[in-house]
Amino acid sequence: MSISQELYPSQDDLLYEEELLRNPFSLKVWSRYLIARSESPFKKRFIIYERALKALPGSYKLWSAYLHESLELVRNLPITHFQYETLNNTFERALVTMHKMPKIWILYLQTLTEQKLFTRTRRTFDRALCALPVTQHDGIWDPYLEFVSQKGIPIETSLRLYRRYLKYDPTHIEKFIEFLINSSLWQEAAERLASVLNDDQFYSIKGKTKHRLWLELCDLLAKHAKEVSGLNVDAIIRGGIRKFTDEVGRLWTSLADYYIRRNLHEKARDIFEEGMTTVVTVRDFSVIFDSYVGFEDSMLIHKMETADLSDEEEEEENGVEEDGNEEEVDLRLDVNLSVAELEKEMLNGFWLHDDKDVDLRLARLEHLMDRSPILANSVLLRQNPHNVEQWHQRVKLFEGNPTKQILTYTEAVRTVDPMKAVGKPHKLWVAFAKLYENHKDIGNARVIFTKAVQVNYKTVDNLASLWCEWAEMELRHKNFKGALELMRLATAEPSVEVKCRVAADGNQPVQMKLHKSLRMWTFYVDLEESLGKLESTRAVYERIMDLKIATPQIIINYALFLEKHKYFEDAFKVYEKGTKIFKHPHVKDIWVTYLSKFVKIYGKKELERARQLFEDAVQVAPADAKKCLYLQFANLEEDYGLAKRAMKIYDEATKAVPNHEKLSMYEIYIARAAEIFGIPKTREIYEQAIKSGIPDKDVKTMCLKFAELEKSLGEIDRARGVYVFASQFSDPRSDVDFWNKWHEFEVQHGNEDTFRELFRIKRSVSASYSQTHFIIPEYMMQKDQRLNIDEAKHKLKQAGVAEDEMAALERQLAPVAKDTTTKDSNRKVGFVSAGVESQMDKEIKVPAIHEEIELLEESGSEDDEMVEIALKEVPSAVFGELANKRKEAEKDEGGDVAAATKDGDTHLGALERIKRLKRGG
């Protein structure tokens, strides 16, 4: 066979050929030769590869490149092409020297897998596993498992392979289980999954939890009940139910499904019933109940569909029936019959084996639907058997069935522990007794109450409620003596022997505290008032007070009861006890009722005693509770006493009540004084109210009323003075109503001068409110300066400086006179006077307003005559005696102040004062 000319070395190849002649075993030369001929046909490169591998048969690099190029050559060819066989032979030649190289094996195995040569591929995989060390088997097993998972591989081969693989790596048993499930090998899959669950050291490489594996096993056993044998399915699933509390309903339905698939329908019903009576969550119950209803519904539909077919079969059998004279044949001797046919023939005619049970199945389904509320309630009670409300709901479910209700109440009172109960456990006993009462069985109702009062409850109030309900039942049936006897028995104090016995036990029941229950005594005293006698009722009230459980309402009720029976002095003694027992605010109602009843009964007869009572009540009452007492006291004096004493009481009330009630108290005082003594008398009260220290907004309100009074009396100047005084409490920017009222007043009664005065005061007040934030830092600066002076004096004294030198230094540091400090400290912060405040130190006058107030001028020259606006003081009549005291204080002041007053500087305007200061400078 001739060789093609193009396969011989060309002129360009001579360089590499000469180099190879000199060094035929150099891998570098062969590699460069192949790279240089990368564009040559594969046949020529094939010859180069063969020559290179003949010289270097152990070169992995050459074999790898050769095999990859061979693979690319056959990539697009069908697997039946002869080139694949050539490729396989090349791989076999390579493995002679490359049998320790896993990549060569993997490449070869992948090629064989694509060629679908199953037997050759399996044997090659086995050769690879034998040739390679164990540490490199991971790379072989993964493609091996993929190979045996292909369609067409015999199941037995795959099983044997997976079993070999589990001996190599047991942690991948989940892959084997998945393969078994996909291959429908349910028996071995269930056994393997069960062994995994029994292995406490098993760790899922897929991240599955034991709970999930349990669910998978249960689903497998339930869905393939007939295919799986040899496993105790019932025990397995019940073990999962005990071990895992989550999704218990799904496990119960799986167990029932297992029996359904095995045609054990009655056993499946038992499983459903057991599941519904054991689960403790509503979700699990709903899962089981829905599955149960679905099962019954499907069985009913199937039975109804097959009923017609069975009827037709019976008709056919009756048509071909043999004559009656023929002798009966023993079915047991007929060997041709199957087990199912024999069973059908033998059980034919028995009512338990009757196939026509559609009505029975329908009734069973309806009964199941009717039981659903009761079953759901049972689930809630299993969650907490001490839930009282759920027991009441359960009783309502048996409405119309007294026997069931009685059994439910009996179970409830036996189950519920009063110490752990959620709700009020005594309500169960009460409802139980009312059930008998409603059915006219009073004897058994009394028996229920007798047992109920012997139970140790959590609180005394529960036991007291039972006794009260028992007594109310006796009252409803006209047994009044029995009700009173019950209350006497319940409120009786335990004997000393009983107390000692209980103390020895160390656990004191609530029955020992019942005799101090306020609810019991309140009900008892109501019964005594309605049914008992006077002496017995008084004895009950006295017993309540002796036990020190009385409330203010009981005191009032006791006193009203005695008053109703004309025992007035005894009633007042009860009130006296109540005022000594209780403090404010609880005693307030007792005092109010006591005083009103005393005045109503005695009136003028015991006036001095009533006065003493009122004085005692006012003395012990707090400030916020004195107003009503003072008003009662004043009404007493107005009705039965002296008007002057009434005015005195009103005057005391205005001083005793809190600041927020003083305005209303003064309004009452003024109204009563105007009614009794006339309007002029109220002027003194208005003056007193203004100076009493009530809040600024109340002072302003009182001043407006005072001004209206003076205006109504024709005292225009006095009214204007009141407006001037009240202006210091009214910011023009926020309190527009006040200034509007003053403006209306001046429109009616004023002139040009009074209007100018109004506007000047308004500007002054507005400036004072705007300068409030400047006054406070000035005060703080003076305080800091005083502290610095004291600190300096202390240091000089420690240094040995004489007192005279220290005094001189202090005068230098603090040139302001003490009178200035005193006067400024008395000034109201936030208000700047409209006049001039005189300072005594060195005859220096400091204006109170430090900003310029523009006044109207007739000419622009500073030398022109200025219009002097003098302040108009508040009339002294407005303040009464306070004005006289002020005049006396002014007479006692030094001559410097008097001289300054004579000069008339106090009446100068702000602009004129500023100009004079500039001229003096």
Side-chain angles (χ1 to χ4, degrees):
M1 182 179 180
S2 61
I3 301 175
S4 177
Q5 188 66 30
E6 61 181 6
L7 298 181
Y8 284 97
S10 63
Q11 190 67 29
D12 298 333
D13 298 337
L14 293 178
L15 179 64
Y16 296 103
E17 291 293 339
E18 292 176 357
E19 186 68 27
L20 288 174
L21 289 174
R22 288 192 295 268
N23 190 3
F25 304 106
S26 175
L27 177 62
K28 184 182 294 184
V29 176
W30 286 110
S31 298
R32 275 190 268 172
Y33 192 5
L34 289 168
I35 293 172
R37 296 295 167 261
S38 59
E39 301 297 331
S40 299
F42 179 73
K43 290 183 177 182
K44 185 173 183 179
R45 292 173 56 79
F46 169 75
I47 294 173
I48 298 173
Y49 272 119
E50 290 292 338
R51 291 170 58 198
L53 290 172
K54 186 177 181 180
L56 298 171
S59 174
Y60 172 78
K61 188 174 182 180
L62 287 174
W63 277 113
S64 179
Y66 186 22
L67 292 173
H68 279 91
E69 284 195 27
S70 300
L71 276 174
E72 290 298 326
L73 180 65
V74 301
R75 183 70 66 188
N76 298 323
L77 298 177
I79 58 175
T80 57
H81 199 275
F82 72 92
Q83 288 289 349
Y84 274 98
E85 187 63 30
T86 304
L87 177 63
N88 294 339
N89 293 332
T90 304
F91 272 110
E92 291 292 342
R93 288 166 51 208
L95 289 174
V96 173
T97 56
M98 297 288 106
H99 60 277
K100 295 298 182 182
M101 298 300 170
K103 288 188 177 181
I104 301 296
W105 280 108
I106 293 173
L107 193 62
Y108 184 25
L109 293 170
Q110 289 175 350
T111 304
L112 290 176
T113 303
E114 293 175 358
Q115 296 176 45
K116 305 297 182 182
L117 302 175
F118 296 143
T119 303
R120 184 172 182 177
T121 305
R122 177 175 57 80
R123 291 175 178 175
T124 306
F125 270 114
D126 293 339
R127 286 169 53 203
L129 292 174
C130 293
L132 294 174
V134 178
T135 55
Q136 295 179 350
H137 282 193
D138 287 338
I140 303 299
W141 276 113
D142 290 337
Y144 202 177
L145 294 176
E146 292 180 4
F147 164 70
V148 297
S149 299
Q150 293 178 353
K151 292 182 179 180
I153 303 297
I155 297 297
E156 188 63 28
T157 302
S158 302
L159 286 176
R160 291 180 179 180
L161 179 66
Y162 267 104
R163 293 184 183 122
R164 286 173 54 196
Y165 177 60
L166 290 180
K167 292 180 180 179
Y168 166 72
D169 188 2
T171 59
H172 288 76
I173 190 172
E174 290 177 274
K175 288 185 178 180
F176 185 31
I177 295 173
E178 186 177 352
F179 167 76
L180 292 173
I181 293 174
N182 294 333
S183 302
S184 300
L185 299 175
W186 314 115
Q187 179 69 34
E188 187 170 357
E191 292 175 355
R192 292 284 182 175
L193 196 54
S195 64
V196 165
L197 291 172
N198 290 329
D199 186 6
D200 295 333
Q201 298 180 353
F202 174 75
Y203 175 77
S204 174
I205 60 175
K206 293 186 177 182
K208 294 182 179 180
T209 61
K210 282 289 187 72
H211 179 252
R212 184 177 174 183
L213 293 174
W214 267 103
L215 295 178
E216 291 181 0
L217 176 60
C218 292
D219 291 341
L220 177 63
L221 295 175
K223 293 179 180 178
H224 307 282
K226 294 182 178 181
E227 291 85 354
V228 178
S229 61
L231 292 177
N232 191 348
V233 178
D234 190 282
I236 291 173
I237 298 180
R238 288 181 184 274
I241 292 171
R242 289 190 298 269
K243 191 172 184 179
F244 303 103
T245 58
D246 191 20
E247 296 189 30
V248 176
R250 182 178 171 184
L251 294 175
W252 279 111
T253 54
S254 298
L255 182 57
D257 191 22
Y258 168 75
Y259 285 111
I260 291 171
R261 293 179 185 275
R262 299 191 64 181
N263 293 325
L264 300 174
H265 298 154
E266 294 300 329
K267 183 64 175 178
R269 288 190 181 94
D270 295 340
I271 295 299
F272 279 125
E273 292 288 343
E274 183 181 359
M276 289 191 299
T277 55
T278 54
V279 294
V280 294
T281 62
V282 178
R283 184 185 64 179
D284 293 333
F285 169 77
S286 62
V287 171
I288 299 174
F289 184 78
D290 293 342
S291 299
Y292 194 6
V293 172
F295 162 69
E296 292 289 355
D297 190 36
S298 61
M299 290 294 295
L300 179 62
I301 294 173
H302 174 71
K303 206 67 178 176
M304 293 175 68
E305 290 177 352
T306 57
D308 298 335
L309 298 176
S310 62
D311 292 341
E312 294 177 358
E313 291 177 358
E314 288 182 1
E315 291 178 358
E316 292 177 358
E317 290 177 359
N318 294 331
V320 296
E321 209 175 44
E322 296 181 357
D323 297 336
N325 296 329
E326 187 176 350
E327 296 181 359
E328 293 184 1
V329 180
D330 191 355
L331 298 175
R332 293 174 293 179
L333 300 178
D334 191 356
V335 295
N336 296 323
L337 293 177
S338 63
V339 177
E341 293 175 349
L342 179 63
E343 180 182 357
K344 182 177 179 181
E345 292 292 337
M346 293 186 67
L347 296 178
N348 187 22
F350 288 90
W351 66 273
L352 285 175
H353 192 66
D354 189 7
D355 292 335
K356 299 178 181 180
D357 57 351
V358 176
D359 294 337
L360 175 63
R361 295 178 183 276
L362 183 61
R364 181 183 290 163
L365 179 60
E366 292 176 354
H367 179 62
L368 176 62
M369 299 301 294
D370 294 338
R371 288 167 53 211
S372 61
I374 301 173
L375 293 172
N377 180 263
S378 300
V379 174
L380 297 175
L381 286 176
R382 282 194 292 274
Q383 290 179 358
N384 183 9
H386 307 290
N387 192 331
V388 177
E389 184 60 31
Q390 291 301 327
W391 283 109
H392 286 300
Q393 294 294 334
R394 189 174 184 84
V395 173
K396 289 181 180 178
L397 295 175
F398 297 113
E399 193 73 33
N401 190 349
T403 304
K404 286 282 188 180
Q405 289 181 329
I406 291 173
L407 293 176
T408 303
Y409 275 125
T410 304
E411 183 183 1
V413 297
R414 289 177 179 174
T415 304
V416 176
D417 185 358
M419 299 301 174
K420 302 177 182 178
V422 178
K424 298 179 179 180
H426 69 280
K427 292 274 184 82
L428 286 173
W429 290 99
V430 173
F432 196 4
K434 283 186 177 180
L435 178 63
Y436 280 109
E437 183 186 358
N438 293 335
H439 290 81
K440 312 300 181 182
D441 192 353
I442 307 301
N444 279 328
R446 292 193 180 101
V447 172
I448 296 300
F449 275 118
T450 303
K451 293 181 179 179
V453 296
Q454 297 174 4
V455 178
N456 186 18
Y457 296 95
K458 195 173 184 179
T459 61
V460 180
D461 190 61
N462 293 340
L463 182 59
S465 299
L466 272 174
W467 282 101
C468 294
E469 290 287 347
W470 191 358
E472 287 179 359
M473 185 191 74
E474 298 293 346
L475 292 175
R476 286 194 294 270
H477 293 83
K478 311 300 181 182
N479 187 9
F480 304 121
K481 291 184 179 180
L484 286 173
E485 190 62 31
L486 280 175
M487 288 295 101
R488 292 192 187 99
L489 179 63
T491 55
E493 186 175 359
S495 62
V496 179
E497 296 179 0
V498 175
K499 290 183 179 179
C500 294
R501 194 182 310 118
V502 171
D505 295 340
N507 187 12
Q508 186 178 14
V510 292
Q511 283 78 3
M512 301 300 296
K513 307 174 185 177
L514 183 63
H515 68 285
K516 289 188 177 182
S517 173
L518 181 60
R519 182 171 185 175
M520 288 291 302
W521 284 104
T522 304
F523 187 81
Y524 187 17
V525 79
D526 289 341
L527 284 181
E528 287 289 352
E529 286 188 17
S530 303
L531 307 174
K533 299 179 181 179
L534 175 63
E535 293 77 10
S536 61
T537 306
R538 293 188 65 175
V540 173
Y541 273 117
E542 292 296 334
R543 180 59 179 161
I544 292 174
M545 298 182 72
D546 292 341
L547 290 173
K548 297 181 180 180
I549 59 174
T551 62
Q553 188 60 46
I554 290 179
I555 297 294
I556 295 173
N557 292 343
Y558 187 17
L560 293 176
F561 173 75
L562 293 174
E563 180 187 348
K564 179 180 177 182
H565 291 82
K566 307 302 180 182
Y567 290 89
F568 300 115
E569 287 300 327
D570 291 343
F572 296 149
K573 290 180 181 178
V574 173
Y575 283 125
E576 290 288 345
K577 289 182 180 179
T579 57
K580 293 177 182 178
I581 294 173
F582 299 101
K583 303 297 180 183
H584 277 278
H586 309 291
V587 78
K588 179 182 177 181
D589 294 335
I590 298 177
W591 272 115
V592 172
T593 309
Y594 182 18
L595 295 173
S596 60
K597 293 294 183 181
F598 189 89
V599 172
K600 180 180 178 181
I601 293 172
Y602 287 109
K604 194 175 181 179
K605 297 178 182 178
E606 297 287 344
L607 185 58
E608 289 299 327
R609 183 178 171 186
R611 286 172 179 168
Q612 185 63 39
L613 287 176
F614 274 107
E615 290 176 0
D616 294 342
V618 169
Q619 185 177 1
V620 297
D624 55 351
K626 288 184 177 182
K627 182 178 179 180
C628 60
L629 297 175
Y630 271 117
L631 292 178
Q632 281 186 280
F633 196 4
N635 289 334
L636 172 68
E637 293 294 344
E638 290 179 11
D639 296 338
Y640 306 107
L642 301 176
K644 290 184 178 181
R645 292 183 65 92
M647 293 299 105
K648 183 180 179 182
I649 292 169
Y650 280 123
D651 184 54
E652 292 178 359
T654 56
K655 299 174 183 176
V657 297
N659 288 335
H660 66 276
E661 293 182 353
K662 284 187 176 181
L663 178 62
S664 59
M665 197 69 229
Y666 270 113
E667 291 175 350
I668 298 172
Y669 186 12
I670 291 169
R672 301 306 301 158
E675 182 180 349
I676 297 173
F677 294 102
I679 294 177
K681 176 67 175 177
T682 60
R683 284 176 173 169
E684 299 177 1
I685 304 174
Y686 274 115
E687 294 172 5
Q688 178 184 346
I690 293 171
K691 300 295 291 183
S692 63
I694 59 178
D696 293 346
K697 61 178 182 178
D698 295 340
V699 172
K700 180 183 63 178
T701 304
M702 192 61 68
C703 287
L704 289 175
K705 294 183 178 182
F706 193 11
E708 290 293 331
L709 172 66
E710 296 293 352
K711 185 174 73 171
S712 64
L713 295 176
E715 297 289 345
I716 303 302
D717 292 338
R718 290 175 61 87
R720 184 177 289 112
V722 174
Y723 277 118
V724 172
F725 177 78
S727 64
Q728 62 180 316
F729 305 105
S730 304
D731 187 359
R733 293 168 296 184
S734 59
D735 195 357
V736 182
D737 295 338
F738 171 80
W739 295 98
N740 290 339
K741 289 182 180 179
W742 192 2
H743 186 273
E744 293 174 2
F745 172 78
E746 295 296 346
V747 169
Q748 295 176 3
H749 307 286
N751 51 34
E752 183 179 356
D753 295 337
T754 58
F755 265 103
R756 291 168 65 88
E757 181 69 12
L758 168 63
F759 293 141
R760 188 193 68 79
I761 294 175
K762 188 173 182 179
R763 288 194 300 270
S764 176
V765 173
S766 179
S768 68
Y769 276 99
S770 64
Q771 289 185 356
T772 301
H773 60 284
F774 293 111
I775 296 173
I776 295 176
E778 181 183 357
Y779 167 75
M780 297 301 295
M781 289 171 62
Q782 293 176 1
K783 182 178 179 181
D784 294 340
Q785 185 178 5
R786 181 72 258 175
L787 293 174
N788 292 335
I789 293 173
D790 293 340
E791 185 178 356
K793 286 175 64 178
H794 180 67
K795 290 182 179 180
L796 291 172
K797 187 174 182 181
Q798 290 180 350
V801 181
E803 291 290 339
D804 296 339
E805 296 179 1
M806 290 172 59
L809 182 59
E810 182 180 357
R811 283 194 297 272
Q812 293 177 5
L813 293 174
V816 183
K818 295 180 180 180
D819 294 340
T820 303
T821 305
T822 305
K823 194 117 183 175
D824 288 342
S825 63
N826 294 331
R827 183 177 65 186
K828 183 179 181 66
V829 177
F831 174 75
V832 179
S833 175
V836 176
E837 297 182 359
S838 59
Q839 308 286 334
M840 294 300 296
D841 188 18
K842 297 182 180 181
E843 299 182 357
I844 297 177
K845 297 182 179 62
V846 180
I849 300 177
H850 302 287
E851 69 176 13
E852 182 177 348
I853 301 176
E854 298 181 359
L855 300 177
L856 297 175
E857 300 180 1
E858 295 180 358
S859 61
S861 175
E862 294 182 358
D863 298 332
D864 294 342
E865 182 179 359
M866 301 296 296
V867 178
E868 297 182 359
I869 301 175
L871 283 176
K872 189 168 184 179
E873 298 180 354
V874 179
S876 59
V878 175
F879 302 102
E881 296 181 358
L882 296 175
N884 298 330
K885 294 180 180 179
R886 180 180 177 185
K887 290 180 180 179
E888 293 177 0
E890 290 177 353
K891 290 179 181 180
D892 297 337
E893 293 180 355
D896 295 337
V897 178
T901 305
K902 287 180 182 180
D903 293 339
D905 292 342
T906 57
H907 299 288
L908 294 177
L911 183 59
E912 182 62 24
R913 292 198 301 273
I914 293 171
K915 289 179 179 180
R916 289 193 179 186
L917 288 174
K918 289 181 179 179
R919 292 171 186 170

